[in-house]
Each structure stands twice: as C-alpha cells, then as structure tokens.
Amino acid sequence: DADVTQTPRNRITKTGKRIMLECSQTKGHDRMYWYRQDPGLGLRLIYYSFDVKDINKGEISDGYSVSRQAQAKFSLSLESAIPNQTALYFCATSDFLGNEQFFGPGTRLTVL
Amino acid sequence: QQQVKQSPQSLIVQKGGISIINCAYENTAFDYFPWYQQFPGKGPALLIAIRPDVSEKKEGRFTISFNKSAKQFSLHIMDSQPGDSATYFCAASKSSNDYKLSFGAGTTVTVRA
C-alpha cells in the first residue's frame, strides 16, 4: 500500500553494524507500529507509538530502539545487529480507533 | 508464547473447494478478532473481523465462525480461487488495551486450478 512506505526494502548487513529502517505514512494516522515476521511465528510487535510523544515497548523490544520524528515518520534501529534479527520487518499504522492496521510492504533484513 | 494458536500451517485446496483455518485463544478479555491476508512480497491487509457478540460474519466468499465458549474462531473460504492463494493470519486484541494485536503463526493457502 503506497500510503505506508518502508525503506530500504532489502538490506544485508554484518553482525555488529548499526542499521536503521524507516517508515513513512500519508494516511494521517497517529498510531504507528513496528513488527517482525518470522516463519512459523507470525507477526510480533516490537514497538508502537500512539503519538509523537508516546512510545511503548512491544513483546520483543530487546535489541531494538525507535524514534518518532513526526506524525508521519517512525524509524526502527538495531544498534548492534545480530544474526537472529534476520527477519521481515513491517511498519503499520492505524487511526485512533486502532482496530484496523495498515501495513507497509516490508523490509527484508539479513544479518550475516 | 503465542496468545493465539493457528492451524494448519499450510493447506492445499482445489479450485472451488472450501478452505478452513482454525484459531484458538486463552485470554477471555480479547474482544476483537480480525483476519489478515498477505500476498507474497506484500504487507498483510485486513480481510474480515468479528466481535464476540455474534457467532458468524460473512463477507462475500469469506466467513468467520466464532465460538465464544470454546474460545475458538475460524475462517472459511468458500469456492476457493487461485487468487485466494496467500498467507492468512488470525489475530486477537482487547479494546481495553488499545487494540494491540496478537497474531497467530499464519496459514499458507494454495489453491490449485
């Protein structure tokens, strides 16, 4: 969905490197989320933000940090990447009701 | 520990057949149960959702059946088409917890022509 964009779409990096994944949205939503998808595990919530000043940890936040630069931008950082962070990462947004989330196209991250 | 258990992991169905995916949950505070559909290379998208005050919801060829006492819900895809080939995720959330979604592991559906 072009309303939620993620960059880069693919990234290969090495263990110990810092990497940032970026998400932008034009839907005007206040709520933004970061998930990782692994085969057999579904999608798991890393961090979420209900507005620019509100950031919360999800179920698997260890090893990750986020920044909400503006209503439309939410970045995910891996301070020191490790191989088990190899996964597909999705950004999502929702309005204040929260009951439908709109996902970006995903970033495939490989940590060697 | 997944709060929503989904099965099967994958299924193959012939065109025109019925696909059935099952999910179970433990947390009785969940009050919103969506299904998301994901095509290869794309992000998931909301397909259909149900609240526990009804036992069934139908949208076109897609039906959710909900059994509150058993804490189970399922997705039925009637007259399955090759274009339905995708990964399907069930999920659950609590309105009291701002609708944070807990996803199942996903089911890959392949519809053979």
Side-chain angles (χ1 to χ4, degrees):
Chain A
D1 190 331
D3 294 328
V4 184
T5 57
Q6 293 183 232
T7 56
R9 294 294 313 278
N10 288 282
R11 181 71 183 267
I12 300 174
T13 191
K14 294 182 178 181
T15 297
K17 294 291 187 181
R18 183 179 188 275
I19 185 167
M20 179 181 289
L21 309 182
E22 299 186 338
C23 176
S24 295
Q25 54 110 351
T26 59
K27 299 189 77 68
H29 289 164
D30 287 324
R31 299 184 174 193
M32 298 187 74
Y33 311 80
W34 275 105
Y35 292 91
R36 67 176 278 176
Q37 182 178 353
D38 299 277
L41 295 176
L43 293 103
R44 292 179 292 167
L45 184 62
I46 305 172
Y47 271 96
Y48 62 103
S49 170
F50 284 172
D51 64 41
V52 175
K53 297 180 181 179
D54 177 75
I55 292 179
N56 305 279
K57 293 182 178 181
E59 58 182 297
I60 55 163
S61 59
D62 287 349
Y64 302 94
S65 63
V66 291
S67 173
R68 185 81 183 267
Q69 300 95 325
Q71 186 209 34
K73 297 184 181 295
F74 193 34
S75 300
L76 176 72
S77 294
L78 288 69
E79 297 301 326
S80 179
I82 56 177
N84 77 0
Q85 291 177 313
T86 293
L88 193 52
Y89 289 85
F90 286 100
C91 174
T93 74
S94 70
D95 62 17
F96 73 97
L97 292 174
N99 55 0
E100 178 176 2
Q101 294 187 16
F102 296 84
F103 285 79
T107 294
R108 185 169 296 281
L109 176 65
T110 302
V111 183
L112 301 176
Chain B
Q1 182 178 352
Q2 281 192 299
Q3 297 192 58
V4 181
K5 298 189 188 304
Q6 182 172 349
S7 63
Q9 186 174 13
S10 64
L11 68 91
I12 299 174
V13 62
Q14 294 296 316
K15 180 181 176 182
I18 302 173
S19 304
I20 302 174
I21 306 169
N22 300 299
C23 287
Y25 63 97
E26 287 298 324
N27 190 338
T28 56
F30 286 143
D31 57 6
Y32 179 68
F33 302 89
W35 285 87
Y36 280 77
Q37 179 188 53
Q38 182 183 29
F39 293 106
K42 305 289 187 182
L46 180 65
L47 179 65
I48 186 173
I50 197 168
R51 296 189 185 276
D53 53 341
V54 297
S55 60
E56 185 175 283
K57 183 173 182 179
K58 183 176 181 179
E59 290 185 3
R61 295 182 294 104
F62 299 89
T63 300
I64 300 178
S65 296
F66 185 81
N67 185 329
K68 189 174 182 178
S69 61
K71 293 184 286 185
Q72 296 176 347
F73 59 110
S74 60
L75 178 70
H76 296 232
I77 307 174
M78 312 300 287
D79 187 25
S80 296
Q81 300 296 312
D84 298 331
S85 296
T87 299
Y88 294 81
F89 294 96
C90 62
S93 66
K94 297 178 281 188
S95 55
S96 62
N97 197 22
D98 292 315
Y99 289 105
K100 284 192 300 178
L101 291 171
S102 295
F103 283 91
T107 297
T108 300
V109 174
T110 302
V111 182
R112 298 226 189 274

